[in-house]
Coordinates of all heavy atoms in Angstrom, one line a residue:
M1 N 137.4 8.6 36.0 CA 136.9 9.0 34.7 C 138.0 9.4 33.8 O 139.0 10.1 34.2 CB 135.9 10.1 34.8 CG 134.4 9.7 35.1 SD 133.8 8.6 33.9 CE 133.5 9.7 32.5
V2 N 137.9 9.1 32.5 CA 138.8 9.6 31.5 C 138.4 11.0 31.1 O 137.2 11.3 30.9 CB 138.8 8.7 30.2 CG1 139.8 9.1 29.2 CG2 139.0 7.2 30.6
S3 N 139.3 11.9 31.0 CA 138.9 13.3 30.7 C 138.4 13.4 29.3 O 138.8 12.7 28.4 CB 140.2 14.2 30.9 OG 141.0 14.1 29.8
Q4 N 137.4 14.4 29.2 CA 136.8 14.7 28.0 C 137.8 15.1 26.9 O 137.8 14.8 25.8 CB 135.7 15.7 28.2 CG 134.7 15.8 27.0 CD 134.0 14.5 26.8 OE1 133.6 13.8 27.8 NE2 133.7 14.2 25.6
D5 N 138.8 15.9 27.4 CA 139.9 16.4 26.5 C 140.6 15.2 25.8 O 140.9 15.2 24.6 CB 140.9 17.2 27.2 CG 140.3 18.6 27.6 OD1 139.2 18.9 27.1 OD2 140.9 19.3 28.4
L6 N 140.9 14.2 26.7 CA 141.6 13.0 26.1 C 140.7 12.3 25.1 O 141.2 11.9 24.0 CB 142.0 12.1 27.3 CG 142.7 10.8 26.9 CD1 144.0 11.1 26.0 CD2 143.0 10.0 28.1
L7 N 139.5 12.1 25.5 CA 138.6 11.3 24.6 C 138.5 12.0 23.2 O 138.3 11.4 22.2 CB 137.2 11.2 25.2 CG 137.1 10.3 26.5 CD1 135.7 10.3 27.1 CD2 137.5 8.9 26.1
E8 N 138.5 13.3 23.3 CA 138.3 14.1 22.0 C 139.5 13.9 21.0 O 139.3 14.1 19.8 CB 138.0 15.5 22.3 CG 136.6 15.7 22.7 CD 136.3 17.1 23.1 OE1 137.1 18.0 22.9 OE2 135.2 17.3 23.8
I9 N 140.7 13.7 21.6 CA 141.8 13.5 20.7 C 142.1 12.1 20.3 O 142.8 11.9 19.3 CB 143.1 14.2 21.2 CG1 143.5 13.5 22.6 CG2 142.9 15.7 21.4 CD1 144.9 13.9 23.0
L10 N 141.5 11.1 21.0 CA 141.8 9.7 20.6 C 141.1 9.4 19.3 O 140.0 9.8 19.0 CB 141.2 8.8 21.7 CG 142.0 8.8 23.0 CD1 141.3 8.0 24.1 CD2 143.4 8.3 22.8
R11 N 141.8 8.6 18.5 CA 141.3 8.1 17.3 C 141.7 6.6 17.1 O 142.6 6.1 17.7 CB 141.9 8.8 16.1 CG 141.6 10.3 16.0 CD 140.1 10.5 15.6 NE 139.8 11.9 15.5 CZ 139.4 12.7 16.5 NH1 139.2 12.2 17.7 NH2 139.1 14.0 16.3
C12 N 140.9 5.9 16.3 CA 141.2 4.5 16.1 C 142.5 4.4 15.4 O 142.7 5.0 14.3 CB 140.1 3.9 15.2 SG 140.5 2.2 14.6
P13 N 143.5 3.6 15.9 CA 144.8 3.6 15.3 C 144.9 3.0 13.9 O 145.8 3.2 13.2 CB 145.6 2.8 16.3 CG 144.6 2.0 17.1 CD 143.4 2.8 17.1
V14 N 143.8 2.2 13.6 CA 143.8 1.6 12.3 C 143.3 2.6 11.2 O 143.9 2.8 10.2 CB 142.9 0.3 12.3 CG1 142.8 -0.3 10.9 CG2 143.4 -0.7 13.3
C15 N 142.1 3.2 11.6 CA 141.4 4.0 10.6 C 142.0 5.4 10.4 O 141.9 6.1 9.4 CB 140.0 4.2 11.0 SG 139.2 2.6 10.9
V16 N 142.7 5.9 11.4 CA 143.2 7.3 11.4 C 144.2 7.5 10.2 O 144.4 8.6 9.8 CB 143.8 7.7 12.7 CG1 145.2 7.0 12.9 CG2 143.9 9.2 12.9
R17 N 144.8 6.4 9.7 CA 145.7 6.5 8.6 C 145.0 6.9 7.4 O 145.7 7.6 6.5 CB 146.4 5.1 8.4 CG 147.2 4.6 9.5 CD 147.6 3.2 9.3 NE 148.1 2.6 10.5 CZ 148.3 1.2 10.6 NH1 147.9 0.4 9.6 NH2 148.7 0.7 11.7
E18 N 143.8 6.6 7.2 CA 143.1 6.8 5.9 C 141.8 7.7 6.1 O 141.4 8.3 5.1 CB 142.7 5.5 5.2 CG 144.0 4.8 4.8 CD 143.6 3.5 4.1 OE1 142.4 3.2 4.0 OE2 144.6 2.8 3.8
K19 N 141.2 7.6 7.3 CA 140.0 8.5 7.4 C 140.0 9.0 8.8 O 141.1 9.2 9.4 CB 138.8 7.7 7.1 CG 138.9 6.2 7.4 CD 137.7 5.4 6.7 CE 138.0 3.9 6.6 NZ 137.0 3.2 6.0
E20 N 138.8 9.3 9.4 CA 138.8 10.0 10.6 C 139.0 9.1 11.8 O 139.7 9.5 12.8 CB 137.4 10.7 10.8 CG 137.3 11.9 9.8 CD 136.1 12.7 10.2 OE1 135.0 12.4 9.8 OE2 136.3 13.7 10.9
G21 N 138.4 7.9 11.8 CA 138.6 7.0 12.9 C 138.0 7.6 14.2 O 138.5 7.3 15.3
L22 N 136.9 8.3 14.1 CA 136.3 8.8 15.3 C 135.7 7.7 16.2 O 135.2 6.7 15.7 CB 135.1 9.8 14.9 CG 135.6 11.1 14.3 CD1 134.3 11.9 13.8 CD2 136.4 11.9 15.3
L23 N 135.8 7.9 17.5 CA 135.4 6.9 18.4 C 134.2 7.4 19.2 O 134.1 8.6 19.6 CB 136.5 6.7 19.4 CG 137.8 6.1 18.8 CD1 139.0 6.3 19.7 CD2 137.6 4.7 18.4
D24 N 133.2 6.5 19.5 CA 132.1 6.8 20.3 C 132.3 6.1 21.7 O 132.7 4.9 21.7 CB 130.8 6.3 19.7 CG 130.4 7.1 18.5 OD1 130.5 8.4 18.6 OD2 129.9 6.6 17.5
L25 N 132.1 6.8 22.7 CA 132.1 6.2 24.1 C 130.8 5.5 24.4 O 129.7 6.1 24.3 CB 132.4 7.3 25.1 CG 132.5 6.9 26.6 CD1 133.8 6.0 26.8 CD2 132.5 8.1 27.5
V26 N 130.9 4.2 24.6 CA 129.7 3.5 25.0 C 129.8 2.8 26.3 O 130.9 2.4 26.7 CB 129.3 2.4 23.9 CG1 128.9 3.1 22.6 CG2 130.4 1.4 23.7
H27 N 128.7 2.7 27.1 CA 128.7 2.2 28.4 C 129.7 2.9 29.3 O 130.1 2.3 30.4 CB 129.0 0.7 28.4 CG 128.2 -0.1 27.4 ND1 126.8 0.0 27.3 CD2 128.6 -1.1 26.5 CE1 126.4 -0.9 26.4 NE2 127.4 -1.5 25.9
G28 N 130.2 4.0 28.9 CA 131.2 4.7 29.7 C 132.6 4.1 29.8 O 133.5 4.6 30.5
T29 N 132.7 3.0 29.1 CA 134.0 2.2 29.3 C 134.5 1.5 28.0 O 135.4 0.8 28.1 CB 133.8 1.2 30.5 OG1 135.0 0.6 30.8 CG2 132.8 0.2 30.1
W30 N 133.9 1.8 26.9 CA 134.3 1.3 25.6 C 134.4 2.4 24.6 O 133.5 3.3 24.6 CB 133.4 0.2 25.1 CG 133.4 -1.1 25.8 CD1 132.7 -1.4 26.9 CD2 134.3 -2.2 25.6 NE1 133.0 -2.7 27.3 CE2 134.0 -3.2 26.5 CE3 135.3 -2.4 24.6 CZ2 134.7 -4.4 26.5 CZ3 136.0 -3.6 24.6 CH2 135.7 -4.6 25.6
L31 N 135.4 2.4 23.7 CA 135.5 3.3 22.6 C 135.3 2.5 21.3 O 136.0 1.6 21.0 CB 136.8 4.0 22.6 CG 137.1 4.9 23.9 CD1 138.5 5.3 24.0 CD2 136.2 6.2 23.8
V32 N 134.2 2.9 20.6 CA 133.8 2.2 19.4 C 134.2 3.0 18.2 O 133.7 4.2 18.1 CB 132.3 1.8 19.4 CG1 131.9 1.0 18.2 CG2 132.0 1.0 20.7
C33 N 134.9 2.4 17.3 CA 135.3 3.2 16.0 C 134.1 3.2 15.1 O 133.5 2.2 14.8 CB 136.5 2.5 15.4 SG 136.9 3.3 13.8
R34 N 133.8 4.4 14.6 CA 132.7 4.6 13.7 C 133.0 4.0 12.3 O 132.1 3.7 11.6 CB 132.4 6.1 13.5 CG 131.8 6.7 14.8 CD 131.4 8.2 14.5 NE 131.2 8.9 15.8 CZ 130.9 10.2 15.8 NH1 130.8 10.9 14.7 NH2 130.7 10.7 17.0
D35 N 134.2 3.9 12.0 CA 134.6 3.5 10.6 C 134.7 1.9 10.5 O 134.2 1.3 9.6 CB 135.9 4.1 10.2 CG 135.7 5.6 9.9 OD1 134.7 6.0 9.3 OD2 136.6 6.4 10.3
C36 N 135.3 1.3 11.5 CA 135.6 -0.1 11.3 C 134.9 -1.0 12.4 O 134.9 -2.2 12.3 CB 137.1 -0.4 11.4 SG 137.8 -0.1 13.0
G37 N 134.4 -0.4 13.4 CA 133.7 -1.2 14.4 C 134.6 -1.8 15.5 O 134.1 -2.6 16.3
R38 N 135.9 -1.6 15.4 CA 136.8 -2.1 16.5 C 136.4 -1.4 17.8 O 135.9 -0.2 17.8 CB 138.2 -1.8 16.2 CG 138.8 -2.7 15.1 CD 140.3 -2.5 14.9 NE 140.8 -3.4 13.9 CZ 140.7 -3.3 12.6 NH1 140.1 -2.2 12.1 NH2 141.2 -4.2 11.8
K39 N 136.6 -2.1 18.9 CA 136.2 -1.6 20.2 C 137.3 -1.7 21.1 O 137.9 -2.7 21.3 CB 135.0 -2.4 20.7 CG 133.8 -2.3 19.7 CD 132.7 -3.4 20.0 CE 131.6 -3.3 18.9 NZ 132.1 -3.9 17.7
Y40 N 137.6 -0.5 21.7 CA 138.8 -0.4 22.6 C 138.3 -0.2 24.0 O 137.6 0.7 24.3 CB 139.7 0.7 22.2 CG 140.1 0.6 20.7 CD1 139.4 1.2 19.7 CD2 141.3 -0.1 20.4 CE1 139.8 1.0 18.4 CE2 141.7 -0.2 19.1 CZ 141.0 0.3 18.1 OH 141.4 0.2 16.8
P41 N 138.7 -1.1 24.9 CA 138.3 -1.0 26.3 C 139.0 0.2 27.1 O 140.1 0.5 26.8 CB 138.6 -2.3 26.9 CG 139.8 -2.8 26.1 CD 139.6 -2.3 24.7
I42 N 138.3 0.7 28.0 CA 139.0 1.6 29.0 C 139.1 0.9 30.3 O 138.0 0.6 30.9 CB 138.1 2.9 29.2 CG1 138.0 3.6 27.8 CG2 138.8 3.8 30.2 CD1 137.1 4.8 27.9
T43 N 140.3 0.5 30.7 CA 140.4 -0.2 31.9 C 141.2 0.6 32.9 O 142.2 1.2 32.6 CB 141.2 -1.6 31.7 OG1 142.4 -1.3 31.0 CG2 140.3 -2.5 30.8
E44 N 140.7 0.7 34.1 CA 141.3 1.5 35.1 C 141.6 2.9 34.6 O 142.6 3.5 34.8 CB 142.5 0.8 35.7 CG 142.1 -0.4 36.5 CD 143.3 -1.3 36.8 OE1 144.5 -0.9 36.5 OE2 143.1 -2.4 37.4
D45 N 140.6 3.5 33.9 CA 140.6 4.9 33.4 C 141.7 5.1 32.3 O 142.0 6.2 32.0 CB 140.9 5.9 34.6 CG 139.7 5.9 35.5 OD1 138.6 5.5 35.1 OD2 139.8 6.5 36.6
I46 N 142.2 4.0 31.8 CA 143.2 4.1 30.7 C 142.6 3.5 29.4 O 142.4 2.3 29.4 CB 144.5 3.5 31.1 CG1 145.1 4.2 32.4 CG2 145.5 3.6 29.9 CD1 146.2 3.4 33.0
P47 N 142.5 4.3 28.4 CA 142.0 3.7 27.1 C 143.1 2.9 26.5 O 144.2 3.3 26.4 CB 141.8 5.0 26.2 CG 141.7 6.1 27.2 CD 142.6 5.8 28.3
V48 N 142.7 1.6 26.2 CA 143.7 0.7 25.6 C 143.6 0.7 24.1 O 142.8 0.0 23.5 CB 143.4 -0.8 26.2 CG1 144.5 -1.7 25.6 CG2 143.4 -0.8 27.7
M49 N 144.4 1.5 23.5 CA 144.3 1.8 22.1 C 145.3 0.8 21.3 O 146.1 1.3 20.5 CB 144.6 3.2 21.7 CG 143.8 4.2 22.5 SD 142.0 3.9 22.4 CE 141.7 4.2 20.6
L50 N 145.1 -0.4 21.5 CA 145.9 -1.4 20.8 C 145.1 -2.1 19.7 O 144.0 -2.5 19.9 CB 146.4 -2.5 21.8 CG 147.2 -2.1 23.0 CD1 147.5 -3.2 23.9 CD2 148.6 -1.5 22.5
I51 N 145.7 -2.2 18.5 CA 145.0 -2.7 17.4 C 144.5 -4.1 17.7 O 143.4 -4.5 17.4 CB 145.9 -2.7 16.1 CG1 146.1 -1.2 15.7 CG2 145.2 -3.4 15.0 CD1 147.1 -1.0 14.6
E52 N 145.4 -4.9 18.3 CA 145.0 -6.3 18.6 C 143.9 -6.4 19.6 O 143.1 -7.3 19.5 CB 146.2 -7.1 19.1 CG 146.8 -6.6 20.4 CD 148.0 -7.6 20.8 OE1 148.8 -8.0 20.0 OE2 148.1 -7.8 22.0
E53 N 143.8 -5.4 20.5 CA 142.7 -5.4 21.4 C 141.4 -5.0 20.7 O 140.4 -5.6 20.9 CB 143.0 -4.4 22.5 CG 142.1 -4.5 23.7 CD 142.1 -5.9 24.4 OE1 143.2 -6.6 24.3 OE2 141.1 -6.3 25.1
G54 N 141.5 -4.0 19.8 CA 140.3 -3.6 19.0 C 139.8 -4.8 18.1 O 138.6 -5.0 18.0
D55 N 140.8 -5.5 17.5 CA 140.4 -6.7 16.7 C 139.6 -7.7 17.5 O 138.7 -8.3 16.9 CB 141.7 -7.4 16.2 CG 142.3 -6.6 15.0 OD1 141.7 -5.7 14.5 OD2 143.5 -7.0 14.7
K56 N 139.9 -7.9 18.7 CA 139.3 -8.9 19.5 C 137.8 -8.7 19.6 O 137.1 -9.7 19.8 CB 139.9 -8.8 20.9 CG 140.4 -10.2 21.5 CD 140.7 -10.0 23.0 CE 142.2 -9.6 23.2 NZ 142.6 -9.6 24.6
W57 N 137.4 -7.5 19.6 CA 136.0 -7.1 19.9 C 135.2 -6.7 18.6 O 134.1 -6.3 18.7 CB 135.9 -6.0 20.9 CG 136.7 -6.4 22.2 CD1 137.9 -6.1 22.5 CD2 136.2 -7.3 23.2 NE1 138.3 -6.6 23.7 CE2 137.2 -7.4 24.2 CE3 135.0 -7.9 23.4 CZ2 137.1 -8.1 25.3 CZ3 134.9 -8.7 24.6 CH2 135.9 -8.8 25.5
I58 N 135.9 -6.8 17.5 CA 135.2 -6.2 16.3 C 133.9 -6.9 15.9 O 133.0 -6.2 15.5 CB 136.2 -6.2 15.1 CG1 135.8 -5.3 14.0 CG2 136.5 -7.7 14.6 CD1 136.8 -5.0 12.9
Q59 N 133.8 -8.2 16.2 CA 132.5 -8.9 15.9 C 131.5 -8.9 17.0 O 130.4 -9.4 16.8 CB 132.9 -10.4 15.6 CG 133.9 -10.6 14.5 CD 133.4 -10.2 13.1 OE1 132.2 -9.9 12.9 NE2 134.3 -10.3 12.1
V60 N 131.9 -8.3 18.1 CA 130.9 -8.3 19.3 C 130.0 -7.1 19.2 O 130.5 -6.0 18.9 CB 131.7 -8.2 20.6 CG1 130.8 -8.2 21.8 CG2 132.7 -9.4 20.7
A61 N 128.7 -7.3 19.3 CA 127.8 -6.2 19.2 C 128.0 -5.3 20.4 O 128.3 -5.8 21.5 CB 126.3 -6.8 19.2
V62 N 127.7 -4.0 20.2 CA 127.9 -3.0 21.2 C 127.1 -3.5 22.5 O 127.6 -3.4 23.6 CB 127.5 -1.6 20.8 CG1 127.3 -0.7 21.9 CG2 128.5 -1.1 19.8
G63 N 125.9 -4.0 22.3 CA 125.1 -4.4 23.4 C 125.6 -5.6 24.2 O 125.2 -5.8 25.3
D64 N 126.5 -6.3 23.5 CA 127.1 -7.5 24.2 C 128.4 -7.3 24.8 O 129.0 -8.2 25.4 CB 127.2 -8.6 23.2 CG 125.8 -9.2 22.7 OD1 124.9 -9.0 23.4 OD2 125.8 -9.7 21.6
L65 N 128.9 -6.1 24.8 CA 130.2 -5.8 25.4 C 130.2 -6.0 26.9 O 129.2 -5.5 27.5 CB 130.7 -4.4 25.0 CG 131.0 -4.1 23.6 CD1 131.2 -2.7 23.3 CD2 132.3 -4.9 23.1
P66 N 131.1 -6.6 27.5 CA 131.1 -6.8 28.9 C 131.5 -5.5 29.6 O 132.3 -4.7 29.2 CB 132.3 -7.8 29.2 CG 133.1 -7.7 28.0 CD 132.3 -7.3 26.8
V67 N 130.7 -5.2 30.7 CA 130.9 -4.0 31.5 C 131.1 -4.4 32.9 O 130.2 -5.0 33.5 CB 129.8 -3.0 31.3 CG1 130.0 -1.8 32.2 CG2 129.6 -2.6 29.9
P68 N 132.2 -4.1 33.6 CA 133.4 -3.5 33.0 C 134.1 -4.4 32.1 O 133.9 -5.6 32.1 CB 134.2 -3.1 34.2 CG 133.9 -4.1 35.2 CD 132.4 -4.4 35.0
P69 N 135.0 -3.9 31.2 CA 135.8 -4.7 30.3 C 136.7 -5.7 31.1 O 137.1 -5.3 32.2 CB 136.6 -3.8 29.5 CG 136.0 -2.4 29.7 CD 135.4 -2.5 31.0
P70 N 137.0 -6.9 30.6 CA 137.9 -7.7 31.3 C 139.3 -7.1 31.4 O 139.7 -6.4 30.5 CB 137.9 -9.0 30.4 CG 137.4 -8.6 29.1 CD 136.5 -7.4 29.3
K71 N 139.9 -7.5 32.5 CA 141.3 -6.9 32.7 C 142.2 -7.6 31.6 O 142.1 -8.7 31.3 CB 141.8 -7.3 34.1 CG 141.1 -6.5 35.2 CD 142.2 -6.1 36.2 CE 141.6 -5.3 37.4 NZ 140.3 -4.9 37.4
L72 N 143.2 -6.8 31.2 CA 144.2 -7.3 30.3 C 145.1 -8.3 31.0 O 145.5 -8.1 32.1 CB 145.1 -6.2 29.7 CG 144.3 -5.2 28.8 CD1 145.3 -4.2 28.3 CD2 143.6 -5.9 27.7
S73 N 145.4 -9.4 30.3 CA 146.3 -10.4 31.0 C 147.7 -10.1 30.6 O 148.0 -9.4 29.7 CB 145.9 -11.8 30.7 OG 145.8 -11.9 29.3
Ligands
LIG101 ZN1 138.7 2.0 13.1

């Protein structure tokens, strides 16, 4: 599990420049930005906070996110 302390300090790297970029944990393994809808996977207990990764999932509905997230290649 990713620690609660870590989750509380993580922010969307795109939105944090201008607003809060707060993230919601969904399915226990995705972090969804409340501002832009980018979705960042948590793979092997490590949140992948890459903008390009968030971009990849921006159009995918929360309910359609794969669980567990695909491994990064
Ligand atoms: Zn965002």
Side-chain angles (χ1 to χ4, degrees):
M1 276 299 288
V2 182
S3 80
Q4 197 61 36
D5 289 348
L6 177 59
L7 290 177
E8 280 172 15
I9 60 166
L10 287 174
R11 294 291 182 269
C12 173
V14 179
C15 296
V16 75
R17 297 171 194 163
E18 296 181 359
K19 29 195 163 179
E20 291 192 275
L22 288 174
L23 300 162
D24 286 321
L25 180 66
V26 296
H27 308 313
T29 187
W30 286 92
L31 294 167
V32 180
C33 176
R34 289 185 197 176
D35 290 318
C36 68
R38 285 183 178 81
K39 299 165 187 76
Y40 302 91
I42 300 172
T43 56
E44 292 168 3
D45 293 343
I46 300 169
V48 182
M49 306 308 295
L50 300 173
I51 293 171
E52 63 177 38
E53 192 63 25
D55 282 347
K56 228 191 270 186
W57 304 99
I58 196 167
Q59 304 290 354
V60 179
V62 166
D64 292 337
L65 292 169
V67 177
K71 289 220 182 351
L72 296 181
S73 49

